[in-house]
Amino acid sequence: NAGVTQTPKFRILKIGQSMTLQCTQDMNHNYMYWYRQDPGMGLKLIYYSVGAGITDKGEVPNGYNVSRSTTEDFPLRLELAAPSQTSVYFCASSYKDRVLAEAFFGQGTRLTVV
Amino acid sequence: RKEVEQDPGPFNVPEGATVAFNCTYSNSASQSFFWYRQDCRKEPKLLMSVYSSGNEDGRFTAQLNRASQYISLLIRDSKLSDSATYLCVVNPMNTGFQKLVFGTGTRLLVSP
């Protein structure tokens, strides 16, 4: 029962570096999401996908890119890392078309940009 | 006004106490509501969905008041293991997909 798996769990980046946060789910969920959580703040939606080949911006997409080539994988790309991107990143997935569908989260990636 | 607002707490209660959290939401068209629990440095996990008629799961009771646009979570007979942050989550359902809007959370500390 892997659920949603994120890698890496921790990462320190230098300003200007790039990286990809990996997310994969084995529940055959259509919907996948990337959130970031800053201290004392709620989760903010970065990007989401309603199915393979379909992605769209959330509330805070600047500085990030995503792709969804398969149902299982939804990587998040950070280009030109900035200190403002220091945060905890959560990937999540859920079933399509269920009003009370539960969102399942990965364990998170703690990213520090220095 | 924030889409979802919660009292950040912390709520400090002794074991066995009853504690209640409220959460208000701004979008009157919101259709689905949830309480998630987040332990320190962990991912959020669904605690319970909130139904229009209110619902109970063991020591936990959730209520929805559409007229006043708030939801509540009542925890009876608090346990040490209930110490966590409780996130109020609303799905406005006006975008055609599961856009979950998270509150900032209410922190609960249960002491012996």
Side-chain angles (χ1 to χ4, degrees):
Chain A
N1 291 343
V4 179
T5 302
Q6 286 182 239
T7 56
K9 287 187 170 54
F10 304 92
R11 183 71 186 269
I12 298 174
L13 275 183
K14 292 185 178 179
I15 294 171
Q17 287 185 320
S18 301
M19 76 165 293
T20 299
L21 282 65
Q22 301 291 344
C23 175
T24 187
Q25 52 92 8
D26 62 359
M27 296 173 283
N28 202 32
H29 286 169
N30 293 91
Y31 290 162
M32 294 189 75
Y33 320 83
W34 275 105
Y35 289 90
R36 60 176 286 173
Q37 186 176 35
D38 300 319
M41 305 292 287
L43 279 82
K44 302 291 186 186
L45 183 64
I46 304 171
Y47 270 95
Y48 67 94
S49 169
V50 300
I54 306 169
T55 63
D56 208 344
K57 296 176 181 179
E59 186 180 355
V60 288
N62 291 344
Y64 307 95
N65 277 299
V66 294
S67 60
R68 184 95 181 270
S69 57
T70 66
T71 299
E72 294 78 21
D73 300 308
F74 190 41
L76 177 72
R77 177 82 177 163
L78 277 72
E79 304 282 2
L80 298 175
S84 60
Q85 294 177 304
T86 294
S87 189
V88 181
Y89 292 83
F90 288 104
C91 178
S93 70
S94 67
Y95 286 112
K96 178 183 176 182
D97 293 339
R98 285 175 54 181
V99 172
L100 290 174
E102 175 181 358
F104 293 83
F105 284 81
Q107 291 183 314
T109 296
R110 292 186 176 276
L111 175 67
T112 302
V113 182
V114 296
Chain B
R1 183 181 174 187
K2 289 183 180 178
E3 285 191 83
V4 178
E5 292 200 72
Q6 295 182 252
D7 181 341
F11 284 60
N12 291 285
V13 302
E15 268 187 297
T18 295
V19 62
F21 311 135
N22 284 338
C23 162
T24 58
Y25 60 94
S26 61
N27 186 340
S28 60
S30 297
Q31 295 296 313
S32 52
F33 311 88
F34 311 87
W35 284 102
Y36 276 70
R37 171 191 168 129
Q38 186 173 24
D39 293 309
C40 188
R41 302 176 74 84
K42 298 287 189 180
E43 74 274 22
K45 292 184 179 179
L46 181 68
L47 177 66
M48 59 196 303
S49 302
V50 185
Y51 302 117
S52 295
S53 55
N55 49 299
E56 187 174 306
D57 183 1
R59 298 181 293 107
F60 299 86
T61 300
Q63 294 283 346
L64 168 64
N65 184 319
R66 286 191 183 275
S68 300
Q69 293 179 214
Y70 79 82
I71 65 174
S72 63
L73 177 67
L74 181 76
I75 305 175
R76 291 182 298 277
D77 189 23
S78 298
K79 312 291 185 191
L80 295 176
S81 57
D82 293 334
S83 296
T85 297
Y86 291 83
L87 306 175
C88 173
V89 185
V90 175
N91 184 350
M93 289 295 286
N94 60 353
T95 59
F97 79 104
Q98 278 272 26
K99 182 192 172 192
L100 300 177
V101 180
F102 288 78
T104 54
T106 297
R107 192 171 172 209
L108 173 65
L109 299 172
V110 182
S111 54

